[in-house]
C-alpha cells in the first residue's frame, strides 16, 4: 500500500532531526545558565572543614601594606594555627619580592601541611630555595562575563616556567590543600564545577588575620580544619571576583569553595557520545510523537536535570531540550508542507489531484510542438460495488493496489494524477505514437487481473495525443475521454 504524503515525509524528517541533534551537541556542549540556576537553587551544604582567615581592613591598619609586613607575622599565625590543631594551612598570598624571601620562614614554610600559592606561569619553584612546602597555582577559571564557575586541579606549565616539559601540569592551590588534608585528587585540566554553598549561620564566615597572629581564636574553630589565609580587605578590586549569584567575593573565599568542592562528591559529566545519543533519541522521538509532544519532551529534559544534579550528575538539559524543540520544528515544517500541498495532492495515493493535473497540463502545453503530450485516462469499473460490500477501507486498498500497478509502468518524466473517485490520469511527456501504444498496453496488462476478493474489477483505458486536431487542453481531455468510453463500451459488448 502506498503511503500518504503526510506520513512519507517522516522518511526525511527523522534523519534530518538526528543530524541536527548531533550537530547541536557540538555547538552547545555545556549548559552554563542551567547549571548556574541549579547551583543557586540547590546549593551544597557548607563545608565545615574549611575555614578562611582574612587579611581584612583592620589587619592592614595594624600592620601596614601587606608587602612590607615583617615575616614574623606569618610565622606567628602559622604557630597559632598549628597549636590549635589545623589539618592543613594554605597561604593564598604571593611572595614575589626576592629581596624579602629570606630564611626567616624556612621552618614555617617547609612543612608538608602548609601550601603556598604561586602565580599562574611561575611553575612550582618558589623565590626562596629554603622553602620546601608544597605549592599550588592560585588560579580560577573566569568566564567572559567575569563569573567564576569552574576550576581545575591542574594547569599546563608554561614553557619558560622552569618545569621539565611544557606538557607537565602544575597542581592548583585548591588541589594541593585537599591533598594535604588527606584527599587523593588527581591532576586534571578538565574544568570542574565550583559548587556554590549558602553562607552558614552557625559560624563566622571569616576569622580576622590579626586575631590569629595575636592568638585570640577559639581552638575549636580551628582544630581539624583546613585553613586558608588570604586577602579580604575592601578596596582590593584586583583580588575580587563574582560567583554564580553575581556577588563580588574575595578570591580566597572562592578558593575555599574550590577546596570544599574537592572534599564533596564530585560532579560527573556525561561522555560526549552519550549526550549525542540522547540528543538524537530526543529529537527523533519528538518527530515520531508529532503534535506538540516535543515541547513536553523539552520540559522533561529540563526537569530531569534536577534529580540528576542532586545525584552529582551534570545533565545538559538545555541541549536535550533544544533537540526536542528541533524535532517539533521539523514536525511543524512537515505540517506546513502538507497544508501547502493539500489542495493539489491526493492524501490516499500521494498523486496529484485534478487541480494539480490542470496546472501540469497548462505548464507543458506550450511545448507540445516539440514535446508532444499524451494522456491516458484509467476508469475502474466495480469500485462502488467493493465499497458497498466490504466498506470504504476495502475501496482504499483497491485504489492503492491500482495506483501501485500504474506507477510501476510509467516512464521517468510521466506524471500520474487521481482524476476522480475511481479514475486516474497519466500525462506522458514527449510521447510518440509508439510510446503511447507501449505504455497503454503495459498498464492494460497490469490491470487485466485486478480483483478484490470475490468481486470482479475491470479497468478501461482511454488514450489521446496532441496533434493538428487538438487545439486546447480541453480537446486533449475530451479525446482521451471519448477513447476511454469506446474502450469501456467495447469491453461491455464483448462481455
Amino acid at each position: 500500500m502506498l503511503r500518504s504524503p503526510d506520513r512519507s515525509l517522516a522518511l526525511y524528517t527523522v534523519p534530518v532531526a538526528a543530524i541536527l541533534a548531533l550537530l547541536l551537541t557540538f555547538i552547545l556542549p555545556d549548559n552554563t545558565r542551567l547549571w548556574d540556576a541549579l547551583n543557586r537553587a540547590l546549593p551544597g551544604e557548607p563545608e565545615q572543614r574549611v575555614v578562611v582567615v582574612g587579611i581584612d581592613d583592620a589587619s592592614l591598619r595594624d600592620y601596614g601594606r601587606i608587602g612590607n609586613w615583617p615575616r614574623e607575622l606569618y610565622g606567628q599565625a602559622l604557630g597559632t594555627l598549628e597549636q590549635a590543631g589545623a589539618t592543613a594551612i594554605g597561604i593564598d598570598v604571593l611572595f614575589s619580592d626576592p629581596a624579602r624571601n629570606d630564611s626567616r620562614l624556612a621552618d614555617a614554610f617547609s612543612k608538608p601541611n602548609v601550601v603556598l600559592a604561586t602565580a599562574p606561569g611561575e611553575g612550582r619553584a618558589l623565590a626562596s630555595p629554603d622553602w620546601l612546602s608544597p605549592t599550588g597555582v592560585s588560579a580560577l577559571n573566569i568566564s567572559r562575563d567575569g563569573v567564576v564557575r569552574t576550576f581545575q586541579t591542574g594547569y599546563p606549565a608554561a614553557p619558560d616556567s622552569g618545569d621539565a616539559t611544557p606538557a607537565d601540569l602544575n597542581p592548583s592551590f585548591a588541589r594541593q590543600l585537599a591533598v594535604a588534608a588527606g584527599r587523593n585528587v588527581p591532576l586534571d585540566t578538565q574544568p570542574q564545577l565550583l559548587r556554590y554553598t549558602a553562607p552558614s549561620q552557625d559560624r563566622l564566615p571569616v576569622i580576622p588575620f590579626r586575631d590569629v597572629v595575636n592568638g585570640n581564636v577559639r581552638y575549636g574553630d580551628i582544630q581539624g580544619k583546613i585553613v586558608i589565609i588570604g586577602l579580604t580587605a575592601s578596596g582590593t578590586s584586583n583580588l575580587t571576583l563574582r560567583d554564580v549569584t553575581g556577588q563580588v567575593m574575595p578570591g580566597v573565599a572562592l578558593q575555599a569553595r574550590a577546596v570544599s568542592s574537592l572534599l564533596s562528591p564530585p560532579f560527573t559529566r556525561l561522555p560526549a557520545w552519550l549526550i549525542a545519543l540522547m540528543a538524537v533519541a530526543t529529537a527523533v522521538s519528538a518527530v515520531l510523537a508529532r503534535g506538540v509532544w516535543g515541547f513536553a519532551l523539552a520540559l522533561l529534559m529540563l526537569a530531569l536535570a534536577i534529580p540528576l544534579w542532586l545525584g552529582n550528575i551534570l545533565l545538559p538539559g538545555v541541549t536535550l531540550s533544544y533537540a526536542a524543540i528541533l524535532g517539533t520544528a521539523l514536525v511543524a515544517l512537515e505540517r506546513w508542507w502538507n497544508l501547502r500541498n493539500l489542495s493539489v495532492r491526493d492524501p490516499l495515493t500521494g498523486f496529484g489531484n485534478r487541480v494539480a493535473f490542470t496546472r501540469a497540463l497548462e505548464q507543458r502545453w506550450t511545448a507540445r510542438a516539440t514535446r508532444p503530450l499524451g494522456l491516458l485516462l484509467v476508469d475502474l469499473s466495480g469500485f462502488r460495488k467493493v465499497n458497498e460490500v466490504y466498506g470504504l477501507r476495502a475501496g482504499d486498498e483497491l485504489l492503492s493496489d491500482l495506483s501501485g500497478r500504474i506507477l510501476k509502468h510509467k516512464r521517468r518524466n510521466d506524471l500520474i494524477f487521481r482524476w476522480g473517485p475511481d479514475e486516474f490520469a497519466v500525462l506522458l511527456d514527449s510521447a510518440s505514437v509508439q510510446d503511447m501504444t507501449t505504455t497503454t498496453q503495459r498498464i492494460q496488462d497490469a490491470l487485466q487481473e485486478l480483483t478484490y476478493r470475490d468481486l470482479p474489477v475491470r479497468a478501461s483505458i482511454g488514450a489521446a495525443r496532441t496533434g493538428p486536431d487538438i487545439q486546447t487542453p480541453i480537446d486533449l481531455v475530451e479525446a482521451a475521454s471519448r477513447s476511454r468510453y469506446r474502450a469501456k463500451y467495447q469491453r461491455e459488448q464483448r462481455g
Side-chain angles (χ1 to χ4, degrees):
M1 180 182 293
L2 296 179
R3 295 184 178 182
S4 61
D6 61 324
R7 293 183 180 178
S8 63
L9 289 180
L11 297 175
Y12 305 97
T13 54
V14 167
V16 169
I19 293 173
L20 291 178
L22 191 61
L23 292 175
L24 186 63
T25 59
F26 294 99
I27 297 174
L28 193 64
D30 294 323
N31 294 176
T32 302
R33 293 187 180 276
L34 172 63
W35 294 336
D36 281 355
L38 292 175
N39 214 355
R40 292 190 300 266
L42 302 171
E45 292 293 330
E47 180 54 66
Q48 303 295 330
R49 289 174 290 177
V50 180
V51 176
V52 173
V53 172
I55 303 175
D56 54 7
D57 294 325
S59 299
L60 293 180
R61 284 195 303 268
D62 288 352
Y63 306 129
R65 292 180 63 250
I66 190 171
N68 298 324
W69 281 5
R71 298 300 189 190
E72 291 77 6
L73 293 178
Y74 294 104
Q76 294 174 18
L78 290 178
T80 300
L81 295 174
E82 289 181 351
Q83 290 179 10
T87 300
I89 304 169
I91 302 179
D92 192 17
V93 178
L94 301 178
F95 299 96
S96 58
D97 185 1
R100 297 181 58 81
N101 290 333
D102 49 34
S103 60
R104 284 177 289 175
L105 291 176
D107 292 337
F109 285 1
S110 298
K111 299 179 179 179
N113 68 328
V114 176
V115 178
L116 304 179
T118 60
E122 287 187 354
R124 303 185 182 97
L126 291 171
S128 174
D130 298 325
W131 297 352
L132 303 178
S133 289
T135 63
V137 178
S138 181
L140 296 167
N141 299 337
I142 305 175
S143 304
R144 292 181 179 179
D145 55 0
V147 175
V148 177
R149 295 184 173 89
T150 61
F151 69 99
Q152 299 169 202
T153 60
Y155 291 89
D160 57 350
S161 63
D163 296 317
T165 63
D168 286 346
L169 294 180
N170 288 330
S172 68
F173 181 73
R175 183 261 182 186
Q176 294 294 76
L177 271 175
V179 170
R183 178 62 61 91
N184 183 19
V185 180
L187 285 174
D188 193 359
T189 58
Q190 176 69 31
Q192 298 189 31
L193 198 68
L194 189 67
R195 191 186 296 264
Y196 171 71
T197 56
S200 175
Q201 304 297 327
D202 299 332
R203 63 172 182 168
L204 293 175
V206 177
I207 299 175
F209 179 77
R210 67 173 183 175
D211 289 349
V212 176
V213 172
N214 297 326
N216 297 327
V217 293
R218 293 188 306 174
Y219 281 14
D221 295 336
I222 304 298
Q223 188 175 12
K225 305 296 177 61
I226 302 173
V227 181
I228 306 177
I229 301 174
L231 194 61
T232 60
S234 59
T236 54
S237 58
N238 60 326
L239 296 178
T240 54
L241 303 167
R242 290 193 297 125
D243 66 359
V244 293
T245 65
Q247 182 182 0
V248 176
M249 302 188 66
V252 64
L254 294 176
Q255 290 287 0
R257 288 187 183 177
V259 175
S260 299
S261 298
L262 292 176
L263 298 179
S264 303
F267 281 105
T268 301
R269 290 178 180 266
L270 299 178
W273 65 267
L274 181 57
I275 297 174
L277 182 62
M278 295 175 66
V280 169
T282 303
V284 171
S285 299
V287 171
L288 297 179
R290 311 183 71 79
V292 295
W293 287 104
F295 292 107
L297 279 174
L299 293 175
L300 177 61
M301 293 300 104
L302 290 175
L304 281 177
I306 298 176
L308 291 178
W309 173 277
L310 296 176
N312 296 314
I313 298 176
L314 296 177
L315 177 72
V318 174
T319 302
L320 300 180
S321 178
Y322 281 160
I325 293 175
L326 275 178
T328 304
L330 289 174
V331 172
L333 181 63
E334 181 181 335
R335 293 288 176 85
W336 170 82
W337 178 261
N338 290 331
L339 290 174
R340 182 176 180 271
N341 292 278
L342 186 61
S343 60
V344 295
R345 188 71 58 182
D346 174 51
L348 175 63
T349 62
F351 296 154
N353 58 17
R354 199 155 185 163
V355 175
F357 168 78
T358 302
R359 293 179 181 176
L361 183 57
E362 291 176 348
Q363 290 173 358
R364 299 189 177 192
W365 185 256
T366 56
R368 69 188 184 281
T370 57
R371 301 172 64 91
L373 294 177
L375 178 62
L376 302 182
L377 292 181
V378 182
D379 178 82
L380 190 62
S381 299
F383 173 71
R384 293 183 180 177
K385 188 67 174 178
V386 172
N387 279 340
E388 292 174 358
V389 175
Y390 294 106
L392 298 178
R393 186 177 182 85
D396 291 344
E397 293 178 0
L398 177 60
L399 291 177
S400 297
D401 185 14
L402 184 144
S403 302
R405 296 184 183 218
I406 297 176
L407 188 63
K408 290 180 181 179
H409 297 283
K410 83 174 188 69
R411 302 177 308 164
R412 170 175 291 186
N413 294 328
D414 297 342
L415 301 176
I416 306 176
F417 304 89
R418 187 174 180 184
W419 176 261
D422 55 357
E423 299 169 307
F424 291 84
V426 183
L427 186 60
L428 287 73
D429 186 46
S430 298
S432 63
V433 175
Q434 182 62 36
D435 292 334
M436 292 289 296
T437 303
T438 302
T439 304
T440 302
Q441 188 60 47
R442 287 178 178 176
I443 295 177
Q444 185 68 64
D445 292 343
L447 303 181
Q448 190 69 34
E449 302 299 329
L450 185 64
T451 59
Y452 189 85
R453 299 185 183 180
D454 57 336
L455 296 180
V457 181
R458 296 291 180 266
S460 303
I461 303 177
R465 179 175 175 270
T466 56
D469 55 335
I470 303 295
Q471 300 297 322
T472 65
I474 296 178
D475 293 340
L476 180 64
V477 173
E478 290 180 349
S481 296
R482 290 194 297 269
S483 175
R484 178 186 54 176
Y485 291 142
R486 285 196 300 270
K488 185 175 183 180
Y489 175 76
Q490 292 172 0
R491 189 187 72 243
E492 290 176 351
Q493 291 299 317
R494 289 194 299 269

